[in-house]
């Protein structure tokens, strides 16, 4: 797909993006969606990039930057890790992020999160992290995290913008509207902190049962749909350096 075509579609489907400045005055939680080897590390699995990918690399870098800031300030962090049982497929995707493999582990740059007291890790076996947070007794780990920390806004980063990130954001917004997530008010997607995969049109045409997935366009569409559902989208996230 040509750059001109993508630019035209972006013009027809604009996503207004703001800047976010975090001061600590509004209780904000950071949500990392599936920043695991199976989606981010070159050659790590069926759904991992085949070669270095600029958009994915920037997403990882921004996720690490924000995670460091939140942990330094002891602000709440929630990290989803895609983790599947080998005998339970997730069509239309091939096997990926199988429990117990390196695919389902955080990328090396984020492994340190496992030792942070302000971080909640949640392994999920489905696309939508909100649904993947449901326990056998009907409770929801994500809802409990929001309510126990009295979070008013969540800042969402991760992969894929138009798949797991989008589904999580949309369900969370619906739950917020149903007053299931009090006191949550805002769901904020950081565009540079999100990424998706790339299957160019010419590649899809020559492969069996493969759907084209142009990265830049689908990233934009994911943000566009999320904003249409009520999420805020920001292109920059800055921090109050005076806040310890």
């Amino acid at each position: 797909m040509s750059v001109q075509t993508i630019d035209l579609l972006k013009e027809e489907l604009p996503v207004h993006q703001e800047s976010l400045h975090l001061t600590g005055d509004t209780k904000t939680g950071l949500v990392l969606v599936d920043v695991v080897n199976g989606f981010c590390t070159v050659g790590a699995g069926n759904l991992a990039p085949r070669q270095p990918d600029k958009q994915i690399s920037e997403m990882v870098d921004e996720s690490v930057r924000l995670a460091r800031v939140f942990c330094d300030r002891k602000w709440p962090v929630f990290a989803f890790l895609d983790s599947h049982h080998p005998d339970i497929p997730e069509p239309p995707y091939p096997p990926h992020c199988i429990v117990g493999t390196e695919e389902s582990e955080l990328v090396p740059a984020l492994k340190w999160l496992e030792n942070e007291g302000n971080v909640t890790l949640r392994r999920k076996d489905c696309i939508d992290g909100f649904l993947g947070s449901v326990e056998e007794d009907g409770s929801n780990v994500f809802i409990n995290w929001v309510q126990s920390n009295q979070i008013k806004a969540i800042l969402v980063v991760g992969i894929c913008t138009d798949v797991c990130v989008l589904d999580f954001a949309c369900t969370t917004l619906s739950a917020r509207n149903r007053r299931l997530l009090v006191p949550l008010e805002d769901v904020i997607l950081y565009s540079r902190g999100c990424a998706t995969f790339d299957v160019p049109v010419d590649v899809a045409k020559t492969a069996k049962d493969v759907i084209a997935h142009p990265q830049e366009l689908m990233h934009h569409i994911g943000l566009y749909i999320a904003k249409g559902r009520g999420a805020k989208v920001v292109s920059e996230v800055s921090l109050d350096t005076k806040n310890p």
Side-chain angles (χ1 to χ4, degrees):
M1 183 171 290
S2 69
V3 174
Q4 292 83 357
T5 300
I6 293 174
D7 287 342
L8 177 61
L9 288 169
K10 286 183 176 181
E11 184 177 330
E12 292 296 319
L13 303 172
V15 177
H16 176 67
Q17 301 188 40
E18 305 171 14
S19 295
L20 177 65
H21 183 68
L22 296 172
T23 63
D25 293 336
T26 298
K27 191 65 175 291
T28 302
L30 177 66
V31 177
L32 298 105
V33 179
D34 295 340
V35 191
V36 297
N37 292 312
F39 296 142
C40 305
T41 301
V42 174
N46 288 326
L47 297 184
R50 296 289 185 263
Q51 58 192 15
D53 185 286
K54 181 180 178 181
Q55 188 183 94
I56 293 175
S57 294
E58 182 177 33
M59 175 274 294
V60 172
D61 289 345
E62 287 301 297
S63 296
V64 172
R65 177 179 74 89
L66 290 172
R68 288 285 185 193
V69 168
F70 272 69
C71 287
D72 286 346
R73 290 161 171 75
K74 303 302 180 185
W75 293 350
V77 176
F78 195 104
F80 288 111
L81 290 78
D82 204 53
S83 303
H84 295 277
H85 192 280
D87 296 329
I88 303 177
E90 187 180 47
Y93 304 105
H96 62 280
C97 299
I98 302 301
V99 174
T101 69
E102 283 299 310
E103 282 190 60
S104 66
E105 298 298 322
L106 290 166
V107 296
L110 284 173
K111 283 291 287 183
W112 56 273
L113 284 177
E114 296 175 356
N115 300 315
E116 296 292 321
N118 63 306
V119 176
T120 298
L121 301 178
R122 176 67 180 183
R123 294 191 177 276
K124 66 179 182 67
D125 60 358
C126 61
I127 293 172
D128 188 332
F130 190 97
L131 295 180
S133 295
V134 177
E135 298 278 47
E136 290 185 3
D137 63 3
S139 63
N140 187 295
V141 176
F142 175 70
I143 292 177
N144 293 342
W145 176 76
V146 169
Q147 294 179 339
S148 63
N149 288 287
Q150 287 295 287
I151 293 171
K152 290 192 174 181
I154 57 170
L155 177 61
V156 184
V157 297
I159 191 168
C160 292
T161 318
D162 57 314
V163 187
C164 293
V165 172
L166 177 62
D167 280 19
F168 166 73
C170 290
T171 306
T172 299
L173 287 162
S174 293
R176 178 205 64 182
N177 293 346
R178 289 292 309 276
R179 307 295 291 170
L180 299 178
L181 282 165
V182 176
L184 185 69
E185 296 175 359
D186 294 323
V187 175
I188 307 166
L189 271 58
Y190 175 32
S191 60
R192 290 174 52 217
C194 294
T196 193
F197 62 96
D198 188 33
V199 179
V201 175
D202 58 333
V203 172
K205 286 181 178 178
T206 60
K208 182 180 179 181
D209 298 328
V210 174
I211 298 175
H213 191 276
Q215 183 183 52
E216 187 61 32
L217 177 60
M218 298 309 296
H219 174 68
H220 179 81
I221 288 176
L223 298 173
Y224 177 83
I225 294 174
K227 191 170 180 67
R229 298 289 178 85
K232 295 182 177 180
V233 179
V234 300
S235 57
E236 296 180 3
V237 179
S238 59
L239 284 299
D240 188 348
T241 57
K242 296 180 181 179
N243 196 317

